[in-house]
Amino acid sequence: MYRVLLAAGVLMLLTGCSLNSSSLSSGFAGTDTDTSSLRRTTSSRQGSLGGEPTARVTTASATPQKFAKLDDKAPQGSYERAPPGALGDRNYSATQLDADKARELINAYRKEKGLKPLKLNAELSGAAKAHSRDLAKWDRISHYGSDGSNPWDRVKRAGYNARLAAENVGTGQASIDEVFKGWKESPGHNKNLLLTDAEHMGIALVQDPKTEFKTFWTLVVGSPL
């Protein structure tokens, strides 16, 4: 993960991760432990960004995939931690998530591009919340859960029968505007924000002042079968 040092500290965004039926990319390269496809790019001053995703779509002819099992662990090298004290001087007293505002931001951006709006979905919000809680528990940024799960696993686990699913993650940002700006400026994240066939979204923020990262944001977008 390429790091950008800011006067206020270190902000990190892990690449928008979306998956397709033929490959597992952006850190999920065909098996549940292969991280060889993790690619790194320099971000703007909004934070640190990872590689480029491709959308995962389920089709009737899709080749069966090997997914992470619940007894797996997040592979070494698939997550990042913040340096001690890196964000200690940032003020998070006003940090909060308004899911409706987040939806409005995303939908206004999609409207600019001629795309249909997304609706908030309880299952995708549950998947996002569970992942943010897990990242906060381990104080790291990753698309792998501590049990080895990938975004597709978590969407399925939450009860969303997905045809398409994608995930953006960010840590250290103090507002939805800040994390949203970073996502728009990253090609991988931006692709997920503008997925043509997406219908639903879920978003979550978990805050923990005892962690180095302080804030853990997860956005999940998808469309059902």
Side-chain angles (χ1 to χ4, degrees), residues 31-33 65-74 144-150 153 157:
T31 71
D32 52 344
T33 58
Q65 296 294 315
K66 181 180 181 183
F67 299 115
K69 300 179 178 63
L70 293 179
D71 58 354
D72 289 334
K73 303 299 180 185
Y144 279 101
S146 61
D147 61 2
S149 61
N150 64 45
D153 297 323
R157 190 184 298 166

Side-chain angles (χ1 to χ4, degrees), residues 111-133:
K111 185 177 181 180
E112 291 175 8
K113 307 298 183 181
L115 300 175
K116 63 187 177 185
L118 304 179
K119 299 177 181 178
L120 284 170
N121 176 271
E123 287 80 15
L124 294 185
S125 294
K129 189 73 169 183
H131 191 49
S132 285
R133 285 174 174 161

Side-chain angles (χ1 to χ4, degrees), residues 13 40 42 50 70 74 76 89-90 99 109 126 156 171 185 193 207 216 220:
L13 294 167
R40 300 171 185 191
T42 303
L70 293 179
Q76 285 296 118
D89 294 335
R90 296 208 80 197
Y109 183 47
K156 291 169 60 180
T171 56
E185 292 177 349
L193 293 174
Q207 295 176 253
F216 303 82
V220 182

Side-chain angles (χ1 to χ4, degrees), residues 25-64:
S25 62
S26 294
F28 306 98
T31 71
D32 52 344
T33 58
D34 185 356
T35 61
S36 62
S37 71
L38 276 173
R39 298 182 295 279
R40 300 171 185 191
T41 59
T42 303
S43 76
S44 72
R45 291 181 61 81
Q46 285 298 309
S48 300
L49 307 175
E52 297 300 313
T54 55
R56 176 167 187 167
V57 180
T58 294
T59 64
S61 60
T63 302

